[in-house]
Amino acid sequence: MSEDQNTRDQALPSASPYPPAADTPTWRPLIKPYLLKLASKVTDQGPKEHSISFPIGDTSILVSPLDQALALRAAENLEPEKPHHLLLLDALGMEILIAVARRKAEKSEGSKKTAAEDRLEQGLDFGYRISHAMTIRIRKLRDEGEMDAADEVHDSWRRLTSLIDEVEHAVKSKAVELEETPEQDRFVYQWDSSGATSGATRHPVKTSKTPTPSPPANSDKGRQHLVLAVLILVLGAVVTNLLLSRSHQLQDFSVEDFPKIPGIEQVINRSPVLLIVVSEREWIACDRYEKSEAIDSVRKIIEPAGYKRVEFRSRISGNLASWNGGSDIVITK
């Protein structure tokens, strides 16, 4: 074999879980190794006529019989029988990527932890995009009367979005837990009288300042004057804040300012908070990607005007979603 031929052979791509495509989505090279690994596991166990579960840390990836067949077929570099099967592979591979990144983020430290957290954030972002693409495909398949195919995509969509919701909830809960833990809280070990470490127990305690001596009984009159002075200061601060709020009334917005919000009915200006009332039926009909895009479109308009928060609600439900400053977007319903 000539040197040129050998060079060309080495440049040939390895087995890919996807057929060649002109426009390959960005996430497919990332999930390729996970799909090949899954195919290897299915081959080792043998394909089943029922769904099988692969645990990854605290997450269990449920793989349906169709997913098993698609993974095996893809590992042999064979084209899927139906176009929508590519989306099923995308969703399955992204589920595994998210689960692996989540486990590494929980177990790693230092730069490895940071890299895993970045990969997890990237996986969630791609997960939203795949979910959005699946929603569009489901609607198209149903319009074409392909109900079985639509159900296949919907089942895969449900598993992906459930995992995204689970991970996001766990991340937010962990952040709240860290914020609510006082910095003064610490643990000390109680040793027995002999000084031995055996039987040592761990007791949570809070550091405290040196106790202040009790004031003498004849200081009641001075205490009353102090309380009165404090009340006057607090009242002055409240009045000043109200005056400042009135003098710094932010720009008012109307329904016409937010054309990208589905089912928008009313805008209520309460500086520095904006309330947006939408049709609950139309809001619920949107997927998470569409809702996130709608909220972000509002943020881009009101943040430069000085608003700090926006709440989405309907005439039935109190809170459908919110933007709380920065990149903090919460979708409740």
Side-chain angles (χ1 to χ4, degrees):
M1 179 182 297
S2 67
E3 183 177 349
D4 290 342
Q5 179 64 41
N6 186 42
T7 302
R8 285 195 296 269
D9 290 343
Q10 290 177 355
L12 291 174
S14 57
S16 168
Y18 294 103
D23 298 316
T24 301
T26 312
W27 58 77
R28 286 187 177 165
L30 297 177
I31 63 177
K32 169 185 171 181
Y34 300 107
L35 290 172
L36 294 176
K37 183 69 173 178
L38 173 64
S40 176
K41 287 182 174 293
V42 173
T43 301
D44 292 341
Q45 296 186 9
K48 308 295 182 184
E49 296 182 358
H50 55 79
S51 295
I52 54 180
S53 178
F54 289 102
I56 303 174
D58 295 332
T59 306
S60 291
I61 303 298
L62 195 65
V63 184
S64 70
L66 175 59
D67 290 334
Q68 298 172 49
L70 291 175
L72 292 174
R73 187 177 180 86
E76 297 177 5
N77 206 26
L78 299 174
E79 287 193 26
E81 296 178 352
K82 299 179 181 179
H84 71 272
H85 286 170
L86 280 175
L87 278 175
L88 304 189
L89 282 171
D90 286 343
L92 180 59
M94 195 54 63
E95 281 187 71
I96 302 174
L97 184 149
I98 291 172
V100 171
R102 177 189 183 185
R103 182 172 182 271
K104 288 183 177 179
E106 293 172 347
K107 300 295 183 183
S108 304
E109 295 181 356
S111 59
K112 290 185 177 180
K113 182 178 183 68
T114 302
E117 289 174 343
D118 290 343
R119 175 55 63 89
L120 179 58
E121 184 67 27
Q122 182 184 44
L124 293 174
D125 178 60
F126 283 144
Y128 279 130
R129 299 187 192 185
I130 295 172
S131 170
H132 179 60
M134 296 177 89
T135 302
I136 295 173
R137 181 60 63 88
I138 291 170
R139 293 172 182 169
K140 182 179 179 181
L141 289 171
R142 286 176 176 168
D143 289 343
E144 295 172 350
E146 298 287 341
M147 304 309 294
D148 290 341
D151 289 342
E152 289 175 353
V153 179
H154 184 268
D155 287 343
S156 182
W157 171 88
R158 178 175 47 79
R159 293 195 298 270
L160 175 61
T161 54
S162 295
L163 177 59
I164 291 174
D165 289 342
E166 175 191 333
V167 173
E168 286 191 332
H169 177 73
V171 171
K172 290 182 185 295
S173 298
K174 184 66 175 177
V176 170
E177 179 183 335
L178 292 174
E179 288 177 3
E180 292 180 349
T181 301
E183 292 182 359
Q184 296 90 345
D185 285 2
R186 61 188 177 87
F187 286 89
V188 297
Y189 287 93
Q190 182 181 29
W191 301 81
D192 60 19
S193 57
S194 66
T197 58
S198 59
T201 56
R202 204 179 184 202
H203 299 277
V205 297
K206 289 187 177 181
T207 59
S208 58
K209 296 181 179 179
T210 304
T212 304
S214 300
N218 61 2
S219 65
D220 289 346
K221 195 171 291 185
R223 185 186 297 113
Q224 290 175 1
H225 288 301
L226 179 61
V227 171
L228 181 60
V230 171
L231 288 175
I232 292 173
L233 287 174
V234 171
L235 181 60
V238 171
V239 172
T240 302
N241 187 55
L242 289 174
L243 292 174
L244 288 174
S245 297
R246 177 173 295 182
S247 63
H248 289 81
Q249 177 69 29
L250 299 176
Q251 171 189 349
D252 286 344
F253 290 96
S254 63
V255 171
E256 290 73 21
D257 294 312
F258 307 111
K260 294 185 178 181
I261 300 179
I264 185 170
E265 296 178 349
Q266 185 181 3
V267 175
I268 303 173
N269 299 273
R270 294 180 182 175
S271 306
V273 178
L274 196 71
L275 303 180
I276 295 181
V277 180
V278 298
S279 163
E280 185 159 347
R281 179 179 61 80
E282 292 190 44
W283 181 261
I284 293 177
C286 299
D287 61 29
R288 289 184 65 90
Y289 181 84
E290 292 168 329
K291 293 172 185 176
S292 179
E293 288 291 293
I295 298 170
D296 195 52
S297 71
V298 175
R299 178 194 64 79
K300 291 177 180 177
I301 295 173
I302 69 172
E303 190 174 23
Y307 280 84
K308 305 299 183 184
R309 173 179 167 82
V310 61
E311 284 188 17
F312 286 73
R313 58 179 62 182
S314 69
R315 302 187 187 280
I316 302 172
S317 300
N319 186 14
L320 301 175
S322 64
W323 167 69
N324 306 298
S327 59
D328 185 6
I329 292 177
V330 178
I331 299 175
T332 309
K333 191 171 183 182

